Amino acid sequence: MSSVLTIRGGVPLTGRVTVRGAKNLVPKAMVAALLGNEPSVLRNVPEIKDVEVVTSLLQLHGVTVEKDPHTGDLTLDPTNAKTASHTAIDAHAGDSRIPILLCGPLIHAIGEAFIPDLGGCKIGDRPIDYHLNVLRQFGAVVEKRPGGIHISAPGGLKGAKISLPYPSVGATEQVLLSATRAEGITELSGAATEPEIVDLIAVLQKMGAIISVQTDRTIRIEGVPDLGGYNHRALSDRNESASWASAALVTRGDIFVEGATQRDMMTFLNTYRKVGGGMDIGDDGIRFYHKGGKLTPLVLETDVHPGFMTDWQQPLIVALTQAEGVSIVHETVYENRFGFTEALIRMGANIQVHRECLGSVPCRFGQRNFLHSAVISGPAQLTGTDIDVPDLRGGFSHLIAALAANGTSRVTGIDIINRGYERFTEKLAGLGADFDITSAE
Ligand code: EPZ
């Protein structure tokens, strides 16, 4: 049964939240366990929907997944990996995009994989052409079948020299998860180097993989015949940390985010300071707060790491609606990631979206009819309204806008937020938010 959040705005969020393992690493580390010939242990695992989806997909394929009732740590044993029925895979995949990353490990473990047509947030076309091209270059046979794609490699996967047309996080993970046990050397140029990628490389190195990240965004992998297990503590979720930081600005509050890691958030912290946000950076987390003065508008362009992360812009845009002046955001990673602004405009925000590249460099989406630049004028008084959450990050932005708005907002579709924000309603309550949760009639 879906829930409805009725939020009474105008209450500053103050207090402490704990952010645990990164949504964009933990499911990939779970999939990596399939490559080992013995059990692995993954720690700092958040209770989010994406972890549940991958747990059931792995169990479907014969992997045992045990969760420590006290710590939430997972023990994954791939010893009895087996094929699974297509209908079962499809039923369990949900709207996650993770199934595409099972290809390499399943081919190494059982010689084949079936990937259902994928879901994921509606923030663009989300193609998987890079993934399929990578698998073909490793020697896999990719066949479109009803409801999904069947991939096999009768002679096993062979190392390849691969160049990505764009530093895709998922395609880089596809290479890492396929190449570590492929025969021979793989050289990947144009790779993504996000902190979650580096953490996945750390996981694979613990298993026995030989992977080096070179200075020119090239990753070199020397295939090994076997891998062992790993014992790894996942890095914390920098996207959730940035979301709570923006929530502190938007509601004029003060939030200590335990687990927020300066190393992974440097670019965000610079931007947060330029907007006028206050921060105290500690060893166990970061305090984010509104300093009481005006917020400063800015010109922002999202990019791959170490640029400003695309997942950070939605919550920050809500803060920019409160800045004194005109801000510009040029989204260069996804072509259609401003859909969430529609609800903000209904609440009173002054935002226009444009087809032009309003940034320092033209991006892939310039002149292709994608509304991928936004102009935000502030400050604007936000007023509560009815909201249906469109996607994960946009949904969180709607929540914090409703928390800052005058009046009451009725928010539906909040189950999407459970995909990436652990126990977010409990955290909101702990920060003093004024809301009720009821089941949708
Ligand atoms: C990962 O998505 C993250 N998701 C995203 O976080 C994140 O925004 C994104 O990386 C960029 O950092 C997970 O890790 C589960 P990409 P991914 O492949 O791997 C194009 C969130 O809210 N592309 O780097 O799917 C694609 O269309 C989510 O936590 C192709 O054209 O991102 C996009 O324009 C949202 N063909 C660009 O590359 C392909 O085969 C970046 O996508 C693959 C990607």
Side-chain angles (χ1 to χ4, degrees), residues 17-20 236-242 244-245 255-265 269 280-288:
V17 294
T18 300
V19 169
R20 293 205 294 170
S236 71
D237 194 316
R238 61 196 174 110
N239 296 339
E240 182 179 351
S241 297
W244 291 116
I255 302 175
F256 181 79
V257 181
E258 182 187 9
T261 309
Q262 179 186 10
R263 180 200 58 232
D264 300 337
M265 298 181 74
L269 298 176
D280 296 334
I281 299 172
D283 295 338
D284 62 344
I286 301 174
R287 176 196 170 212
F288 295 101

Side-chain angles (χ1 to χ4, degrees), residues 108-171:
H108 286 306
I110 55 177
E112 62 173 338
F114 174 79
I115 307 302
D117 293 330
L118 293 182
C121 290
K122 295 290 170 273
I123 51 179
D125 181 30
R126 307 298 293 273
I128 55 170
D129 51 329
Y130 299 167
H131 293 257
L132 302 182
N133 292 340
V134 156
L135 289 164
R136 291 188 184 98
Q137 292 181 72
F138 278 113
V141 176
V142 177
E143 296 167 85
K144 185 71 183 89
R145 297 232 177 126
I149 298 164
H150 181 265
I151 298 130
S152 60
L157 299 179
K158 305 279 188 295
K161 190 172 174 59
I162 299 168
S163 173
L164 289 180
Y166 182 81
S168 152
V169 167

Side-chain angles (χ1 to χ4, degrees), residues 23-25 27-28 50 97-98 101 121 123-132 166-173 192 194 196 238-239 303-304 309-311 314 332-335 337 364-365 391-393 419:
K23 167 186 93 70
N24 293 346
L25 177 271
K28 290 74 173 283
D50 271 16
R97 289 177 55 77
I98 301 298
L101 296 178
C121 290
I123 51 179
D125 181 30
R126 307 298 293 273
I128 55 170
D129 51 329
Y130 299 167
H131 293 257
L132 302 182
Y166 182 81
S168 152
V169 167
T172 301
E173 293 163 340
E194 271 68 5
E196 294 78 19
R238 61 196 174 110
N239 296 339
D303 204 342
V304 296
M309 175 84 179
T310 172
D311 298 350
Q314 301 80 22
T332 70
V333 178
Y334 287 108
E335 65 272 29
R337 205 163 191 186
R364 293 166 296 148
F365 309 126
D391 58 64
L392 177 65
R393 306 296 174 192
R419 280 193 50 209

Side-chain angles (χ1 to χ4, degrees), residues 8 17 80 96 200 218 247 255 258 277 314 326 359 363 408 427:
R8 288 167 291 277
V17 294
N80 300 311
S96 164
L200 180 61
T218 296
I255 302 175
E258 182 187 9
Q314 301 80 22
V326 178
C363 77
T408 301
K427 289 175 181 172

Side-chain angles (χ1 to χ4, degrees), residues 32-55:
L34 250 176
L35 290 164
N37 55 20
E38 58 188 3
S40 290
V41 175
L42 184 56
R43 291 172 283 118
N44 199 29
V45 177
E47 287 179 21
I48 56 173
K49 184 105 167 23
D50 271 16
V51 171
E52 291 168 21
V53 169
V54 177
T55 298

